[in-house]
Amino acid sequence: MNEKVLIISILALLGIGFVSILFIVVPWVSHLGFAGWKRLLVDDGLIIGAILLFVFGFYMNTRMH
C-alpha cells in the first residue's frame, strides 16, 4: 500500500468518526431526540457494544505485536 492510499483511507476514517460524533454521540449525551426509555436503552447498548468491540480490537492488536 502506498502512502497516498494510506493517507486517503486514514482521512476517510477520521471523517466518518467526526460525522458519527456529531450525529450519534452528541444526541446520546444530551438525550435529545429519543422517543422513550426503551429507545434510549437500545441506543445506549449499541454504543456501549461498539466501544467494547473497539477496546477488544485494540487489545488483540497489542497482543499480536
Side-chain angles (χ1 to χ4, degrees):
M1 178 182 291
N2 60 20
E3 291 83 17
K4 185 177 181 180
V5 174
L6 181 65
I7 290 172
I8 291 172
S9 63
I10 289 173
L11 289 176
L13 286 172
L14 287 174
I16 290 170
F18 181 74
V19 170
S20 68
I21 287 172
L22 286 179
F23 291 110
I24 296 172
V25 175
V26 171
W28 175 63
V29 169
S30 63
H31 299 293
L32 297 176
F34 293 108
W37 63 272
K38 289 181 183 178
R39 173 81 178 179
L40 185 64
L41 286 177
V42 169
D43 290 339
D44 288 350
L46 289 174
I47 291 172
I48 290 170
I51 290 170
L52 289 175
L53 285 174
F54 175 77
V55 170
F56 178 72
F58 187 75
Y59 170 71
M60 292 305 288
N61 188 26
T62 57
R63 284 190 60 198
M64 294 173 93
H65 290 95

